[in-house]
Amino acid sequence: MGEVVAGASMSLDGFVAGPGESGFDLLFGWMGGGTEEVQTAQSGRVLRMSPASAKVLRAQLESTGAILVGRRLFDLTSGWGGMHPFGGPVVVLTHQPPAGWEDSPFTFVTEGIEAAVERAKELADGRDVGVNAGEMARQCLQAGLLDAVRIDLVPVLLGGGVPLFGEFGLDPVRLGTPDVTVSEGVTHLRYPI
Amino acid sequence: MGEVVAGASMSLDGFVAGPGESGFDLLFGWMGGGTEEVQTAQSGRVLRMSPASAKVLRAQLESTGAILVGRRLFDLTSGWGGMHPFGGPVVVLTHQPPAGWEDSPFTFVTEGIEAAVERAKELADGRDVGVNAGEMARQCLQAGLLDAVRIDLVPVLLGGGVPLFGEFGLDPVRLGTPDVTVSEGVTHLRYPI
């Protein structure tokens, strides 16, 4: 059975975006500067990273069967131009589904986080469900639906911005010992919950 | 020449203390539960941790010649009962030196962060100066005085509290590739600036 895995590129001081939606060039720089090419599902878009990071990312793409995102990210990226880089089914939690996306990899769920995770699990067909950090990951954490947290820890201090989970108003959540891969410009960590 | 190194035990979501000064049992749990004993300079106080963590901590104690703390931490710990666990000289940045500490390992500096670092470097005699995270580390970062950041990353989400450096109001600060030691209940990271 697949797991529900929240993931993000995060600065060492705990931010997944800098002040005023800045810092993405720094947070995702490790996907752009290396020697190893990783093909995405978007035509013509290739990522370039270190061999160690490519190994981690490829394993992650193979183990992921569906992705869960919020409406904000869907709108911000204009639905990734019709195709998420990951290439598989994407569940979008929203209050009101947009028109014109009926025949697409995107499935819109309006009944809340538990229904969205349930639908993503069906679509993942035994593989993992990837959840973007921020609001969606926080809702999954609060609902007790997360199995693991994957952090790409980037050696930069942003000094402010959007925190990984925000203030989730729960008792502290203990995680297990992480799998760690040290790469150029990023340390990949995967923690079981 | 020694380096100026800010260090802290930090939760995965970027806090060096939980809400309302909570969470220290979780943040410093890795110093209490293992099989390897590390003697401190405080009589009778022994830390117990994993062999991997003990190796990191012993190397750190050997390379550190002086410690720099703020008055808040000094007061909070009542001057560590007269002896910091580290055992060497401790510089305290304060507006007004307390009475009765003339013949002690503590040196009080009132002339600001640059003077405090300067004095700590003299006392460290070629070895590193350790700076506690939070206010002191932020002041060192802002003044361009930090050479490295050492993070003991603890697999817990605190959901709020005191951030590592706070909002430091600078452009993003890029760090180098870290030395990483994965241990039980903690991942030790040391980044050059």
Side-chain angles (χ1 to χ4, degrees):
Chain A
M1 188 59 193
E3 298 193 312
V4 181
V5 184
S9 276
M10 187 178 86
S11 70
L12 183 59
D13 51 351
F15 299 104
V16 297
E21 304 280 343
S22 69
F24 294 115
D25 52 330
L26 295 167
L27 288 172
F28 296 100
W30 63 271
M31 289 184 176
T35 56
E36 188 99 354
E37 296 196 346
V38 177
Q39 190 69 46
T40 79
Q42 293 173 311
S43 71
R45 184 156 180 241
V46 172
L47 304 173
R48 285 183 183 81
M49 58 194 72
S50 75
S53 288
K55 194 175 166 193
V56 169
L57 188 61
R58 284 191 189 115
Q60 184 189 321
L61 288 170
E62 272 167 37
S63 65
T64 301
I67 283 183
L68 168 60
V69 303
R71 180 62 186 269
R72 187 172 153 278
L73 190 58
F74 176 83
D75 284 347
L76 203 65
T77 62
S78 305
W80 288 272
M83 177 61 82
H84 192 283
F86 145 72
V90 176
V91 171
V92 184
L93 181 60
T94 180
H95 294 292
Q96 195 168 341
W101 291 85
E102 288 70 26
D103 189 24
S104 82
F106 296 92
T107 301
F108 299 89
V109 172
T110 58
E111 298 90 355
I113 191 69
E114 305 215 359
V117 168
E118 198 51 47
R119 187 78 189 99
K121 279 185 171 177
E122 287 164 19
L123 290 167
D125 197 20
R127 292 194 289 165
D128 291 348
V129 172
V131 182
N132 277 103
E135 178 62 19
M136 286 301 101
R138 187 180 58 72
Q139 288 194 24
C140 285
L141 186 71
Q142 288 172 321
L145 297 170
L146 275 191
D147 299 307
V149 178
R150 189 180 44 68
I151 299 292
D152 303 314
L153 193 65
V154 177
V156 65
L157 303 171
L158 291 177
V162 180
L164 174 60
F165 283 103
E167 305 207 359
F168 50 74
L170 295 174
D171 284 341
V173 177
R174 290 165 200 250
L175 313 173
T177 299
D179 292 329
V180 181
T181 303
V182 183
S183 179
E184 215 167 307
V186 62
T187 301
H188 304 284
L189 305 155
R190 191 185 195 277
Y191 294 86
I193 293 193
Chain B
M1 188 58 193
E3 298 193 311
V4 180
V5 184
S9 275
M10 187 177 87
S11 69
L12 183 58
D13 52 350
F15 299 104
V16 297
E21 303 279 344
S22 68
F24 294 115
D25 51 331
L26 296 167
L27 288 171
F28 295 100
W30 62 272
M31 289 184 175
T35 55
E36 188 99 356
E37 297 197 345
V38 177
Q39 191 69 47
T40 78
Q42 293 172 312
S43 71
R45 184 153 180 243
V46 173
L47 303 173
R48 285 181 183 80
M49 60 193 71
S50 75
S53 288
K55 194 175 164 191
V56 169
L57 188 61
R58 285 192 187 115
Q60 184 188 322
L61 287 170
E62 272 167 35
S63 64
T64 301
I67 283 183
L68 168 60
V69 302
R71 180 60 185 270
R72 187 172 154 278
L73 190 58
F74 177 82
D75 284 347
L76 203 66
T77 62
S78 304
W80 288 271
M83 176 62 81
H84 194 284
F86 146 72
V90 177
V91 171
V92 184
L93 181 60
T94 181
H95 293 292
Q96 195 168 340
W101 292 85
E102 288 72 23
D103 188 23
S104 81
F106 297 92
T107 301
F108 299 90
V109 172
T110 58
E111 297 90 356
I113 190 68
E114 305 216 0
V117 167
E118 200 50 49
R119 186 78 189 98
K121 279 185 169 177
E122 287 165 19
L123 290 167
D125 197 19
R127 291 194 289 164
D128 290 347
V129 171
V131 181
N132 276 103
E135 179 62 20
M136 286 301 100
R138 188 180 57 73
Q139 287 195 25
C140 285
L141 187 71
Q142 288 172 321
L145 298 170
L146 276 193
D147 299 306
V149 178
R150 187 180 45 69
I151 299 292
D152 303 314
L153 193 65
V154 177
V156 65
L157 303 171
L158 292 176
V162 180
L164 174 61
F165 283 104
E167 304 206 359
F168 49 75
L170 295 175
D171 285 341
V173 177
R174 289 166 201 250
L175 314 173
T177 299
D179 291 329
V180 181
T181 303
V182 182
S183 178
E184 215 167 308
V186 62
T187 301
H188 304 285
L189 305 154
R190 190 185 195 281
Y191 294 85
I193 293 192

